[in-house]
Amino acid sequence: MNRRILFSVFAAALSCSTAIVFAQEQASAPTFKEGDTWQINISRQGQVGSSTDQTEGLYEIVYSQGTAKAFKIEGGQKTEVDGVLGVIGKNEQRPDLKFPLSVGQKWNYEITARPPGARRDQRRSVEVAVVGQEQVTTPAGSFKTYKLVRSESWSAGIAGSPSSGTSTFFYSPEVRSIVKRVTENSNNPGITTVELIKFTPGN
């Protein structure tokens, strides 16, 4: 009987200490290297893109001379864009990554967006929460990630009917970027998926 009690106490203590270590684990702000390159793919299923989203297809982000630049790759040509820099936390209008990252962390911000066909801007309220850690596999490999959920709400149409959107995304300290993001909107059926397909570390 005493052995059982002792074992139960030991197991509880071990579980407690593991939870504390897990809660205290943090992802520091990334240090980018010259030549770091990320390739991502954006795909949509039954969803129309908004004015703030990039179209489907292949994109490349390159860090060079202290600056990150993004390009749309199409037909062997590269065209510079800026909407995908949030993948590495370089979108100041959408601070979806706030370092150091730790489970339980939350923050809020507001953005202005104008969907296709709208005559006026929409003011959107956003909350981001770090909800856990998860192993995620993409074409670029398998990564230990921080799982984040971004909840976005706004009023749409003349009547100001409420709308909302949810993005679930996964940040990997190993490749210093979001490796996967899935977005759904209440007034725009379908999903948009962003996946890391290749990471090439710089020097």
Coordinates of all heavy atoms in Angstrom, one line a residue, residues 73-158:
I73 N 6.3 33.8 -57.6 CA 6.9 33.1 -58.7 C 5.9 32.5 -59.6 O 5.0 31.7 -59.2 CB 7.8 31.9 -58.1 CG1 8.8 32.4 -57.1 CG2 8.5 31.1 -59.2 CD1 9.6 31.4 -56.4
E74 N 6.0 32.9 -60.9 CA 4.9 32.5 -61.8 C 5.5 32.5 -63.2 O 6.1 33.5 -63.7 CB 3.8 33.5 -61.8 CG 2.5 33.0 -62.4 CD 1.3 33.9 -62.1 OE1 1.5 35.1 -61.8 OE2 0.2 33.4 -62.2
G75 N 5.4 31.4 -63.9 CA 6.0 31.3 -65.3 C 7.5 31.5 -65.4 O 7.9 32.1 -66.4
G76 N 8.2 31.2 -64.3 CA 9.7 31.4 -64.3 C 10.1 32.8 -64.0 O 11.2 33.2 -64.0
Q77 N 9.1 33.7 -63.7 CA 9.3 35.1 -63.4 C 9.1 35.3 -61.9 O 8.2 34.7 -61.3 CB 8.4 36.0 -64.3 CG 8.6 35.9 -65.8 CD 10.0 36.4 -66.2 OE1 10.5 37.4 -65.7 NE2 10.6 35.6 -67.1
K78 N 9.8 36.3 -61.4 CA 9.6 36.7 -60.0 C 9.1 38.2 -59.9 O 9.8 39.0 -60.5 CB 10.9 36.6 -59.2 CG 11.4 35.1 -58.9 CD 12.6 35.1 -58.0 CE 13.1 33.7 -57.8 NZ 14.2 33.6 -56.9
T79 N 8.0 38.4 -59.2 CA 7.5 39.7 -59.0 C 7.4 40.0 -57.6 O 6.9 39.3 -56.8 CB 6.1 39.8 -59.6 OG1 6.1 39.4 -61.0 CG2 5.5 41.2 -59.5
E80 N 8.0 41.2 -57.2 CA 8.1 41.5 -55.7 C 6.7 41.8 -55.2 O 5.9 42.6 -55.8 CB 9.1 42.7 -55.5 CG 9.3 42.9 -54.0 CD 10.4 43.9 -53.7 OE1 11.1 44.3 -54.7 OE2 10.6 44.3 -52.6
V81 N 6.4 41.3 -54.0 CA 5.2 41.5 -53.3 C 5.5 41.8 -51.8 O 6.6 41.6 -51.4 CB 4.2 40.3 -53.4 CG1 3.8 40.1 -54.9 CG2 4.8 39.1 -52.9
D82 N 4.5 42.1 -51.0 CA 4.8 42.4 -49.6 C 3.8 41.7 -48.7 O 4.0 41.6 -47.5 CB 4.8 43.9 -49.3 CG 3.5 44.6 -49.6 OD1 2.5 43.9 -49.9 OD2 3.5 45.8 -49.5
G83 N 2.8 41.0 -49.2 CA 1.8 40.5 -48.3 C 2.1 39.2 -47.6 O 1.4 38.8 -46.7
V84 N 3.2 38.5 -48.0 CA 3.5 37.2 -47.3 C 4.6 37.3 -46.3 O 5.0 36.3 -45.7 CB 3.9 36.2 -48.4 CG1 2.7 35.9 -49.3 CG2 5.1 36.6 -49.2
L85 N 5.1 38.5 -46.0 CA 6.2 38.7 -45.1 C 5.8 38.3 -43.7 O 6.7 38.1 -42.8 CB 6.8 40.1 -45.1 CG 7.5 40.5 -46.4 CD1 7.9 42.0 -46.4 CD2 8.7 39.6 -46.6
G86 N 4.5 38.3 -43.4 CA 4.1 37.8 -42.1 C 4.5 36.4 -41.7 O 4.5 36.1 -40.5
V87 N 4.8 35.6 -42.7 CA 5.3 34.2 -42.5 C 6.5 34.2 -41.6 O 6.7 33.3 -40.8 CB 5.5 33.5 -43.8 CG1 6.3 32.2 -43.6 CG2 4.2 33.3 -44.6
I88 N 7.4 35.2 -41.7 CA 8.6 35.3 -40.9 C 8.4 36.5 -39.9 O 9.4 36.9 -39.3 CB 9.8 35.5 -41.7 CG1 9.8 36.7 -42.6 CG2 10.1 34.2 -42.6 CD1 11.1 37.0 -43.3
G89 N 7.2 36.9 -39.6 CA 7.0 38.0 -38.6 C 7.4 39.4 -39.0 O 7.7 40.2 -38.2
K90 N 7.4 39.6 -40.3 CA 7.8 40.9 -40.8 C 6.7 41.8 -41.4 O 6.9 42.7 -42.2 CB 8.9 40.7 -41.9 CG 10.2 40.2 -41.4 CD 11.0 41.2 -40.5 CE 12.3 40.7 -40.1 NZ 13.0 41.7 -39.3
N91 N 5.5 41.5 -40.9 CA 4.3 42.4 -41.3 C 3.9 43.2 -40.1 O 3.3 42.7 -39.2 CB 3.2 41.5 -41.8 CG 2.0 42.3 -42.4 OD1 1.8 43.5 -42.0 ND2 1.3 41.6 -43.2
E92 N 4.3 44.5 -40.2 CA 4.0 45.4 -39.0 C 2.5 45.6 -38.8 O 2.1 45.9 -37.7 CB 4.8 46.7 -39.2 CG 6.3 46.5 -39.2 CD 7.0 47.9 -39.3 OE1 6.3 48.9 -39.5 OE2 8.3 47.9 -39.3
Q93 N 1.7 45.6 -39.9 CA 0.3 45.8 -39.8 C -0.4 44.6 -39.2 O -1.5 44.8 -38.6 CB -0.3 46.1 -41.2 CG -0.1 47.5 -41.7 CD 1.4 47.7 -42.1 OE1 2.0 46.9 -42.8 NE2 2.0 48.8 -41.8
R94 N 0.2 43.4 -39.3 CA -0.4 42.2 -38.7 C 0.6 41.5 -37.8 O 1.3 40.6 -38.3 CB -0.9 41.3 -39.8 CG -2.2 41.7 -40.5 CD -2.5 40.7 -41.6 NE -3.8 41.0 -42.2 CZ -5.0 40.4 -41.8 NH1 -5.0 39.5 -40.9 NH2 -6.1 40.7 -42.5
P95 N 0.8 42.0 -36.6 CA 1.8 41.4 -35.7 C 1.3 40.0 -35.1 O 0.9 39.9 -34.0 CB 1.9 42.4 -34.6 CG 0.6 43.1 -34.5 CD 0.1 43.1 -36.0
D96 N 1.3 39.0 -36.0 CA 0.8 37.7 -35.6 C 1.8 36.9 -34.8 O 1.5 35.8 -34.3 CB 0.3 36.9 -36.9 CG -0.9 37.5 -37.5 OD1 -1.7 38.1 -36.8 OD2 -1.1 37.2 -38.7
L97 N 3.0 37.4 -34.8 CA 4.1 36.8 -34.0 C 4.6 37.8 -33.0 O 5.0 38.9 -33.5 CB 5.2 36.2 -34.9 CG 4.8 35.1 -35.8 CD1 6.0 34.8 -36.8 CD2 4.4 33.8 -35.1
K98 N 4.7 37.5 -31.8 CA 5.1 38.4 -30.8 C 6.1 37.7 -29.8 O 5.7 36.8 -29.1 CB 4.0 39.0 -29.9 CG 4.3 40.1 -29.0 CD 3.1 40.7 -28.4 CE 3.4 41.9 -27.5 NZ 2.2 42.5 -26.9
F99 N 7.4 38.0 -29.9 CA 8.4 37.3 -29.2 C 8.8 37.9 -27.9 O 8.7 39.1 -27.7 CB 9.6 37.1 -30.1 CG 9.4 36.4 -31.4 CD1 9.1 37.1 -32.6 CD2 9.4 35.0 -31.4 CE1 8.9 36.4 -33.7 CE2 9.1 34.3 -32.6 CZ 8.9 35.0 -33.7
P100 N 9.2 37.1 -26.9 CA 9.3 35.6 -27.0 C 8.0 34.9 -27.0 O 7.1 35.3 -26.2 CB 10.2 35.2 -25.8 CG 9.9 36.3 -24.8 CD 9.7 37.6 -25.6
L101 N 7.8 33.9 -27.8 CA 6.5 33.1 -27.8 C 6.5 32.1 -26.6 O 7.5 31.4 -26.3 CB 6.4 32.3 -29.1 CG 6.1 33.1 -30.4 CD1 6.0 32.1 -31.5 CD2 4.8 33.8 -30.2
S102 N 5.4 32.0 -25.9 CA 5.2 31.0 -24.9 C 3.8 30.6 -24.8 O 2.9 31.4 -25.1 CB 5.7 31.5 -23.5 OG 5.0 32.7 -23.2
V103 N 3.5 29.4 -24.5 CA 2.2 28.9 -24.4 C 1.4 29.7 -23.3 O 1.9 29.9 -22.2 CB 2.2 27.4 -24.0 CG1 0.7 26.9 -23.9 CG2 2.9 26.6 -25.1
G104 N 0.2 30.1 -23.7 CA -0.7 30.9 -22.8 C -0.6 32.4 -23.1 O -1.5 33.1 -22.6
Q105 N 0.3 32.8 -23.9 CA 0.5 34.2 -24.3 C -0.7 34.7 -25.2 O -1.2 33.9 -26.0 CB 1.8 34.4 -25.0 CG 2.2 35.8 -25.4 CD 3.5 35.8 -26.1 OE1 4.0 34.8 -26.5 NE2 4.0 37.0 -26.4
K106 N -1.2 35.9 -25.0 CA -2.2 36.5 -25.8 C -1.9 38.0 -26.1 O -1.3 38.6 -25.2 CB -3.6 36.4 -25.1 CG -4.2 35.0 -25.0 CD -5.6 35.1 -24.4 CE -6.2 33.7 -24.3 NZ -7.6 33.8 -23.7
W107 N -2.3 38.5 -27.2 CA -2.2 39.9 -27.5 C -3.3 40.3 -28.5 O -3.9 39.5 -29.2 CB -0.8 40.3 -28.0 CG -0.4 39.6 -29.3 CD1 -0.5 40.1 -30.6 CD2 0.3 38.4 -29.4 NE1 0.1 39.3 -31.5 CE2 0.5 38.2 -30.8 CE3 0.7 37.4 -28.5 CZ2 1.1 37.0 -31.3 CZ3 1.3 36.2 -29.0 CH2 1.5 36.1 -30.4
N108 N -3.5 41.6 -28.6 CA -4.6 42.1 -29.5 C -4.0 43.2 -30.4 O -3.1 43.9 -30.0 CB -5.7 42.7 -28.6 CG -6.4 41.7 -27.8 OD1 -7.3 40.9 -28.2 ND2 -6.0 41.6 -26.5
Y109 N -4.7 43.4 -31.5 CA -4.4 44.5 -32.4 C -5.5 44.8 -33.3 O -6.5 44.0 -33.3 CB -3.1 44.3 -33.2 CG -3.1 43.2 -34.2 CD1 -3.5 43.4 -35.5 CD2 -2.7 41.9 -33.9 CE1 -3.5 42.4 -36.4 CE2 -2.7 40.9 -34.8 CZ -3.1 41.1 -36.1 OH -3.1 40.1 -37.0
E110 N -5.5 45.9 -34.0 CA -6.6 46.3 -35.0 C -6.0 46.5 -36.3 O -4.8 47.0 -36.4 CB -7.3 47.5 -34.5 CG -8.2 47.2 -33.3 CD -9.1 48.4 -32.9 OE1 -8.9 49.5 -33.5 OE2 -10.1 48.2 -32.2
I111 N -6.7 46.2 -37.4 CA -6.3 46.5 -38.8 C -7.4 47.1 -39.5 O -8.6 47.0 -39.1 CB -5.8 45.2 -39.5 CG1 -7.0 44.1 -39.5 CG2 -4.6 44.6 -38.8 CD1 -6.7 43.0 -40.4
T112 N -7.1 47.6 -40.7 CA -8.1 48.2 -41.6 C -8.0 47.4 -42.9 O -6.9 47.2 -43.5 CB -7.9 49.7 -41.9 OG1 -8.0 50.4 -40.6 CG2 -8.9 50.2 -42.9
A113 N -9.1 46.9 -43.4 CA -9.1 46.1 -44.7 C -10.3 46.5 -45.5 O -11.3 46.9 -45.0 CB -9.1 44.6 -44.3
R114 N -10.1 46.3 -46.8 CA -11.3 46.6 -47.8 C -11.4 45.4 -48.7 O -10.6 45.2 -49.6 CB -11.0 47.8 -48.6 CG -12.2 48.1 -49.6 CD -12.0 49.4 -50.3 NE -12.1 50.5 -49.4 CZ -12.1 51.8 -49.8 NH1 -12.0 52.1 -51.1 NH2 -12.2 52.8 -48.9
P115 N -12.5 44.6 -48.5 CA -12.7 43.4 -49.3 C -13.0 43.7 -50.7 O -13.5 44.9 -51.0 CB -13.8 42.7 -48.6 CG -13.9 43.3 -47.2 CD -13.4 44.7 -47.4
P116 N -12.9 42.8 -51.7 CA -13.3 43.1 -53.1 C -14.7 43.5 -53.2 O -15.6 42.9 -52.6 CB -13.1 41.7 -53.7 CG -12.1 41.0 -52.9 CD -12.4 41.5 -51.5
G117 N -15.0 44.6 -53.9 CA -16.3 45.1 -54.1 C -16.8 46.0 -53.0 O -17.9 46.7 -53.2
A118 N -16.1 46.1 -51.9 CA -16.6 47.0 -50.8 C -16.3 48.5 -51.2 O -15.3 48.8 -51.8 CB -15.9 46.6 -49.5
R119 N -17.1 49.4 -50.7 CA -16.9 50.8 -50.9 C -16.2 51.5 -49.8 O -15.7 52.6 -49.9 CB -18.2 51.5 -51.2 CG -18.9 51.0 -52.4 CD -20.2 51.8 -52.7 NE -20.9 51.4 -53.9 CZ -22.0 52.0 -54.4 NH1 -22.6 52.9 -53.6 NH2 -22.6 51.5 -55.5
R120 N -16.1 50.8 -48.7 CA -15.4 51.4 -47.5 C -14.6 50.4 -46.8 O -14.8 49.2 -46.9 CB -16.5 52.1 -46.6 CG -17.5 51.1 -46.0 CD -18.5 51.8 -45.1 NE -19.3 52.7 -45.9 CZ -20.2 53.5 -45.4 NH1 -20.4 53.5 -44.1 NH2 -20.9 54.3 -46.2
D121 N -13.6 50.9 -46.0 CA -12.7 50.1 -45.3 C -13.5 49.5 -44.1 O -14.5 50.0 -43.6 CB -11.6 50.9 -44.7 CG -10.6 51.3 -45.8 OD1 -10.7 50.7 -46.9 OD2 -9.8 52.3 -45.6
Q122 N -13.0 48.3 -43.6 CA -13.5 47.7 -42.4 C -12.5 47.8 -41.3 O -11.3 47.5 -41.6 CB -13.8 46.2 -42.7 CG -14.9 46.0 -43.7 CD -15.1 44.5 -44.0 OE1 -14.3 43.7 -43.7 NE2 -16.2 44.2 -44.7
R123 N -12.9 48.1 -40.1 CA -12.0 48.1 -39.0 C -12.2 46.7 -38.3 O -13.3 46.4 -37.9 CB -12.4 49.2 -38.0 CG -11.3 49.5 -37.0 CD -10.1 50.1 -37.6 NE -9.1 50.4 -36.6 CZ -7.8 50.7 -36.8 NH1 -7.4 50.8 -38.1 NH2 -7.0 51.0 -35.9
R124 N -11.1 46.0 -38.2 CA -11.1 44.7 -37.7 C -10.4 44.5 -36.4 O -9.2 45.1 -36.3 CB -10.6 43.7 -38.7 CG -11.4 43.7 -40.0 CD -10.9 42.6 -40.9 NE -11.7 42.5 -42.2 CZ -11.6 41.6 -43.1 NH1 -10.8 40.5 -42.9 NH2 -12.4 41.6 -44.1
S125 N -11.0 43.9 -35.4 CA -10.3 43.6 -34.1 C -9.8 42.2 -34.1 O -10.4 41.2 -34.6 CB -11.3 43.7 -33.0 OG -11.8 45.0 -32.9
V126 N -8.5 42.0 -33.7 CA -7.8 40.7 -33.8 C -7.3 40.3 -32.4 O -6.7 41.2 -31.7 CB -6.7 40.8 -34.8 CG1 -6.0 39.4 -34.9 CG2 -7.2 41.3 -36.1
E127 N -7.4 39.1 -32.1 CA -6.8 38.5 -30.9 C -6.0 37.3 -31.3 O -6.5 36.5 -32.1 CB -7.8 38.1 -29.8 CG -7.1 37.5 -28.6 CD -8.1 36.9 -27.5 OE1 -8.5 35.8 -27.7 OE2 -8.4 37.7 -26.6
V128 N -4.7 37.2 -30.8 CA -3.9 36.1 -31.1 C -3.5 35.4 -29.8 O -3.2 36.1 -28.8 CB -2.6 36.5 -31.8 CG1 -1.7 35.3 -32.2 CG2 -2.9 37.3 -33.1
A129 N -3.6 34.1 -29.8 CA -3.3 33.3 -28.6 C -2.4 32.1 -29.0 O -2.6 31.5 -30.0 CB -4.6 32.8 -28.0
V130 N -1.4 31.9 -28.1 CA -0.5 30.8 -28.3 C -1.1 29.7 -27.4 O -1.1 29.7 -26.2 CB 0.9 31.1 -27.8 CG1 1.9 29.9 -28.1 CG2 1.5 32.4 -28.4
V131 N -1.7 28.7 -28.1 CA -2.5 27.7 -27.4 C -1.8 26.4 -27.1 O -2.3 25.5 -26.3 CB -3.8 27.4 -28.2 CG1 -4.6 28.6 -28.4 CG2 -3.4 26.8 -29.6
G132 N -0.6 26.1 -27.6 CA 0.1 24.9 -27.3 C 1.3 24.7 -28.3 O 1.7 25.6 -29.0
Q133 N 1.8 23.4 -28.2 CA 2.9 23.0 -29.1 C 2.5 21.8 -29.8 O 1.7 21.0 -29.3 CB 4.2 22.8 -28.3 CG 4.8 24.1 -27.7 CD 6.1 23.8 -27.0 OE1 6.2 22.9 -26.2 NE2 7.2 24.5 -27.4
E134 N 3.0 21.6 -31.1 CA 2.5 20.5 -31.9 C 3.5 20.2 -32.9 O 4.2 21.1 -33.5 CB 1.2 20.9 -32.5 CG 0.4 19.7 -33.2 CD -1.0 20.1 -33.6 OE1 -1.7 20.8 -32.7 OE2 -1.4 19.8 -34.7
Q135 N 3.7 18.9 -33.2 CA 4.5 18.5 -34.3 C 3.7 18.6 -35.6 O 2.6 18.0 -35.7 CB 5.0 17.0 -34.1 CG 6.2 16.6 -35.0 CD 7.5 17.1 -34.5 OE1 7.6 17.6 -33.3 NE2 8.5 17.2 -35.3
V136 N 4.3 19.3 -36.6 CA 3.6 19.6 -37.9 C 4.5 19.1 -39.0 O 5.7 19.5 -39.1 CB 3.2 21.0 -38.0 CG1 2.6 21.3 -39.4 CG2 2.2 21.4 -36.9
T137 N 3.9 18.5 -40.0 CA 4.6 18.1 -41.2 C 4.1 18.8 -42.4 O 2.9 18.9 -42.6 CB 4.5 16.5 -41.4 OG1 5.0 15.8 -40.3 CG2 5.3 16.1 -42.7
T138 N 5.0 19.4 -43.2 CA 4.7 20.0 -44.5 C 5.7 19.4 -45.5 O 6.6 18.6 -45.2 CB 4.9 21.5 -44.4 OG1 6.3 21.8 -44.4 CG2 4.4 22.1 -43.1
P139 N 5.5 19.9 -46.8 CA 6.5 19.4 -47.8 C 8.0 19.7 -47.4 O 8.9 19.1 -48.0 CB 6.1 20.1 -49.1 CG 4.6 20.3 -48.9 CD 4.4 20.6 -47.4
A140 N 8.2 20.7 -46.6 CA 9.5 21.1 -46.2 C 10.1 20.2 -45.1 O 11.3 20.2 -44.8 CB 9.6 22.5 -45.7
G141 N 9.3 19.4 -44.4 CA 9.8 18.5 -43.4 C 8.8 18.5 -42.2 O 7.7 19.0 -42.2
S142 N 9.3 17.9 -41.1 CA 8.5 17.8 -39.9 C 9.1 18.7 -38.8 O 10.4 18.7 -38.6 CB 8.5 16.3 -39.4 OG 7.7 16.2 -38.2
F143 N 8.3 19.5 -38.1 CA 8.8 20.5 -37.2 C 8.1 20.5 -35.9 O 6.8 20.3 -35.9 CB 8.7 21.9 -37.9 CG 9.3 22.0 -39.2 CD1 8.5 21.9 -40.4 CD2 10.6 22.3 -39.4 CE1 9.0 22.0 -41.6 CE2 11.2 22.4 -40.7 CZ 10.4 22.2 -41.8
K144 N 8.8 20.8 -34.8 CA 8.2 21.1 -33.5 C 7.8 22.5 -33.6 O 8.6 23.4 -33.8 CB 9.1 20.8 -32.4 CG 8.6 21.1 -31.0 CD 9.6 20.9 -29.9 CE 9.0 21.3 -28.6 NZ 10.0 21.1 -27.5
T145 N 6.5 22.8 -33.4 CA 6.0 24.2 -33.5 C 5.2 24.7 -32.4 O 4.7 23.9 -31.5 CB 5.1 24.3 -34.8 OG1 3.8 23.6 -34.5 CG2 5.7 23.7 -36.0
Y146 N 5.0 26.0 -32.3 CA 4.1 26.6 -31.4 C 2.8 26.8 -32.2 O 2.8 27.4 -33.3 CB 4.6 28.0 -31.0 CG 5.7 27.9 -29.9 CD1 7.0 27.6 -30.3 CD2 5.4 28.0 -28.6 CE1 8.0 27.5 -29.3 CE2 6.3 27.9 -27.6 CZ 7.6 27.6 -28.0 OH 8.6 27.5 -27.0
K147 N 1.7 26.4 -31.6 CA 0.4 26.5 -32.3 C -0.3 27.8 -31.8 O -0.5 28.0 -30.6 CB -0.5 25.3 -32.0 CG -1.9 25.4 -32.6 CD -2.7 24.1 -32.2 CE -4.1 24.2 -32.8 NZ -4.9 23.0 -32.5
L148 N -0.7 28.7 -32.8 CA -1.3 29.9 -32.5 C -2.7 30.0 -33.2 O -2.9 29.5 -34.3 CB -0.5 31.1 -32.9 CG 0.9 31.3 -32.3 CD1 2.0 30.6 -33.2 CD2 1.3 32.7 -32.1
V149 N -3.6 30.7 -32.5 CA -5.0 30.9 -33.1 C -5.2 32.4 -33.1 O -5.2 33.1 -32.1 CB -6.1 30.1 -32.3 CG1 -7.4 30.5 -32.9 CG2 -5.8 28.6 -32.3
R150 N -5.5 32.9 -34.3 CA -5.9 34.3 -34.5 C -7.4 34.4 -34.8 O -7.9 33.8 -35.7 CB -5.1 34.9 -35.7 CG -5.4 36.4 -35.9 CD -4.7 37.0 -37.1 NE -5.3 36.5 -38.3 CZ -4.7 36.5 -39.5 NH1 -3.5 36.8 -39.6 NH2 -5.4 36.1 -40.6
S151 N -8.1 35.1 -33.9 CA -9.5 35.3 -34.1 C -9.7 36.8 -34.5 O -9.3 37.7 -33.9 CB -10.3 35.1 -32.8 OG -10.0 33.8 -32.3
E152 N -10.5 37.0 -35.6 CA -10.7 38.3 -36.2 C -12.2 38.6 -36.3 O -12.9 37.7 -36.7 CB -10.0 38.3 -37.6 CG -9.8 39.6 -38.2 CD -8.9 39.5 -39.5 OE1 -8.0 38.7 -39.5 OE2 -9.1 40.3 -40.4
S153 N -12.6 39.8 -36.0 CA -14.0 40.1 -36.0 C -14.2 41.5 -36.6 O -13.4 42.4 -36.4 CB -14.7 40.0 -34.7 OG -14.1 40.9 -33.8
W154 N -15.4 41.7 -37.4 CA -15.6 43.0 -38.0 C -17.1 43.0 -38.3 O -17.8 42.0 -38.3 CB -14.8 43.2 -39.2 CG -15.0 42.2 -40.3 CD1 -15.8 42.4 -41.4 CD2 -14.5 40.9 -40.5 NE1 -15.8 41.3 -42.2 CE2 -15.0 40.4 -41.7 CE3 -13.5 40.1 -39.7 CZ2 -14.6 39.1 -42.2 CZ3 -13.2 38.9 -40.2 CH2 -13.7 38.3 -41.4
S155 N -17.6 44.2 -38.7 CA -19.0 44.4 -39.2 C -18.9 44.5 -40.7 O -18.1 45.3 -41.2 CB -19.6 45.6 -38.6 OG -19.7 45.4 -37.2
A156 N -19.8 43.8 -41.4 CA -19.8 43.8 -42.9 C -21.2 44.2 -43.4 O -22.2 44.0 -42.8 CB -19.5 42.4 -43.4
G157 N -21.1 44.8 -44.6 CA -22.4 45.2 -45.3 C -23.0 46.5 -44.7 O -22.5 47.0 -43.7
I158 N -24.1 46.9 -45.3 CA -24.7 48.2 -44.9 C -25.3 48.0 -43.5 O -25.3 49.0 -42.7 CB -25.8 48.5 -46.0 CG1 -25.2 48.8 -47.3 CG2 -26.6 49.7 -45.5 CD1 -26.2 49.0 -48.4

